[in-house]
Amino acid sequence: MRIGIVCYPSYGGSGVVATELGKRLALRGHEIHFISYDRPFKLDMFHQNIYYHEVEVLDYPLFKFPPYMIALAGKIAEVAKWAELDLVHVHYAIPHAVSAFLAKHLLRNKNLPIVTTLHGTDITVVGHEPQFFDITRFSIEESDMVTAVSQFLKEETVHIFKIAKDIQVIYNFIDPEEYRRRNIPELKMRYAGPGEKILTHISNFRPVKRLKDVVDVFARVNSVIPSRLLMIGDGPEGPAVHQYIESIGLTERVYFLGKQERVVELLSISDLFLLPSEKESFGLAALEAMACGTPVIASTAGGLPEVVRDGETGYLLPVGSVQEMADKAVAVLKDSRKWQQMSENGKLHSAQNFHIDRVISKYEKLYQEIT
Ligand code: GMT
């Protein structure tokens, strides 16, 4: 099939999912056309079936805000016509599903089915805003097929937008061949001294990630077991969390590693992964951690209970309960048999229930149904 994939190219789960999906579909023989304002950051391989089309927005003095949504619609229509796309699959409803709808109508004589995958904040935060509410609901209703990355997100979408449209749950996925724990003691030694533990957090540093909780859990653990914290990613909360760490005197114990393209090695040297989010429709980073054998301490927010098995692959605790999170973290770090069991459970659970091949087949089936 010839498939257009529209996504955000920046650091974040929806872009990663879209890109990995496209790469794998290309390996299965489909022709994939990525459409975005920048090259997706995970689009790191050459393949004759992969194309990348950049959306350029005219910079005209009258435009206080560049009209990206319209430029994207024009680009989707252009690519659909030129490459004879069978369908377009948009990731993250706003504004991608709206642009796809416009593109479809631009192509009067051509049928262009639209698949929209909802990822989380497009529904729970942005789509919720009164100014975006009606148009988000409209773009979902007008899509030919809608998927959500968790049961939680499906229910939330139905609840918030009161839509009757069928939404299929297709979980995010992992390639266990790539995401597996590696033995790299020399890397661990670069960040932690003998006997010290490594706790890790990965995100786009947005308020929903509750970075202060990450630091507070770490501080409590560190007061019992000398540890180091790896902060991977970047975003608007970065400066505030830097200041907070300095104010509690932990600067020496925390490494800010910025946006890392590869996290397998860093997860492999981690003893625990922290994800105490306020909202999390799925929590791709938690899945990546489990696949690398790193037990997860997370909140019970959103779809996290569908990803992390409480007591088996990590622990889930109410949002904001930093002391309980720290207590669980200390308990598992002190009990090497328990840690080993959780590590093994995480690898098994991620490979059995979130294997990339199974998930890609579900998307292929869905594409066949609508074309
Ligand atoms: O966190 C965000 O707001 C960004 C968004 C994204 O584009 O990466 O993340 C959402 O999509 C991911 C991929 O499906 C999910 O793993 C994240 O849980 C989800 N984030 C939230 O729901 C906060």
Side-chain angles (χ1 to χ4, degrees), residues 12-15 17 92 119-121 149 172 204 206 208-209 279-284:
S14 64
V17 169
Y92 209 90
H119 280 272
T121 48
V149 298
N172 289 333
N204 50 13
R206 295 195 184 272
V208 288
K209 304 293 175 182
K279 293 178 195 287
E280 204 66 73
S281 66
F282 183 87
L284 184 61

Side-chain angles (χ1 to χ4, degrees), residues 40-334:
F41 97 106
K42 279 271 198 172
L43 192 52
D44 50 4
M45 68 183 224
F46 169 77
H47 193 283
Q48 75 267 22
N49 288 351
I50 296 181
Y51 297 73
Y52 162 58
H53 309 272
E54 190 157 306
V55 180
E56 283 177 38
V57 187
L58 182 71
D59 187 13
Y60 187 67
L62 205 59
F63 296 157
K64 184 172 173 196
F65 305 105
Y68 180 67
M69 196 185 87
I70 297 175
L72 175 61
K75 191 54 125 184
I76 296 172
E78 178 197 319
V79 176
K81 216 154 114 183
W82 165 79
E84 297 179 25
L85 296 184
D86 293 306
L87 65 106
V88 63
H89 186 171
V90 304
H91 291 261
Y92 209 90
I94 301 168
H96 302 156
V98 186
S99 298
F101 171 82
L102 275 176
K104 185 176 178 140
H105 284 265
L106 271 172
L107 296 162
R108 286 191 189 89
N109 302 321
K110 186 185 178 340
N111 183 30
L112 183 67
I114 302 169
V115 179
T116 297
T117 291
L118 308 173
H119 280 272
T121 48
D122 44 354
I123 299 301
T124 59
V125 180
V126 193
H128 222 206
E129 289 289 321
Q131 56 177 329
F132 291 134
F133 188 88
D134 286 338
I135 199 150
T136 304
R137 179 169 57 193
F138 174 81
S139 69
I140 293 170
E141 279 172 341
E142 290 298 323
S143 298
D144 296 275
M145 194 68 92
V146 181
T147 75
V149 298
S150 63
Q151 185 63 29
F152 159 81
L153 186 58
K154 171 181 172 166
E155 284 165 18
E156 198 68 359
T157 307
V158 171
H159 172 72
I160 293 174
F161 294 102
K162 310 272 177 291
I163 45 172
K165 196 171 189 75
D166 181 41
I167 299 177
Q168 272 196 45
V169 174
I170 301 187
Y171 284 134
N172 289 333
F173 50 82
I174 198 83
D175 179 356
E177 280 180 26
E178 188 193 344
Y179 282 84
R180 59 184 169 78
R181 198 167 187 88
R182 293 150 208 251
N183 185 24
I184 25 184
E186 64 285 2
L187 184 64
K188 187 156 193 170
M189 272 157 50
R190 277 184 56 185
Y191 295 107
E196 289 183 343
K197 301 292 182 189
I198 295 184
L199 279 64
T200 298
H201 171 78
I202 307 176
S203 77
N204 50 13
F205 288 23
R206 295 195 184 272
V208 288
K209 304 293 175 182
R210 294 183 70 100
L211 297 188
K212 185 173 174 292
D213 286 5
V214 171
V215 176
D216 285 342
V217 172
F218 168 73
R220 284 166 167 80
V221 172
N222 181 54
S223 68
V224 184
I225 306 169
S227 302
R228 304 281 175 165
L229 176 63
L230 305 186
M231 295 288 279
I232 304 169
D234 208 350
E237 295 292 289
V241 77
H242 268 111
Q243 273 178 16
Y244 183 59
I245 289 168
E246 208 178 333
S247 74
I248 57 172
L250 283 178
T251 310
E252 299 293 303
R253 301 242 135 222
V254 184
Y255 296 95
F256 281 89
L257 303 180
K259 296 177 181 175
Q260 296 286 332
E261 200 173 309
R262 274 186 68 85
V263 290
V264 175
E265 286 77 8
L266 293 164
L267 288 170
S268 295
I269 60 163
S270 302
D271 297 290
L272 282 183
F273 183 75
L274 304 178
L275 197 62
S277 310
E278 179 95 39
K279 293 178 195 287
E280 204 66 73
S281 66
F282 183 87
L284 184 61
L287 175 60
E288 292 173 345
M290 290 188 302
C292 292
T294 309
V296 174
I297 305 284
S299 65
T300 47
L304 279 168
E306 295 171 61
V307 180
V308 179
R309 290 214 165 135
D310 186 30
E312 290 177 33
T313 67
Y315 290 108
L316 294 171
L317 294 137
V319 174
S321 56
V322 290
Q323 187 58 53
E324 289 85 343
M325 289 181 187
D327 291 345
K328 290 290 187 194
V330 168
V332 68
L333 288 174
K334 277 186 168 172

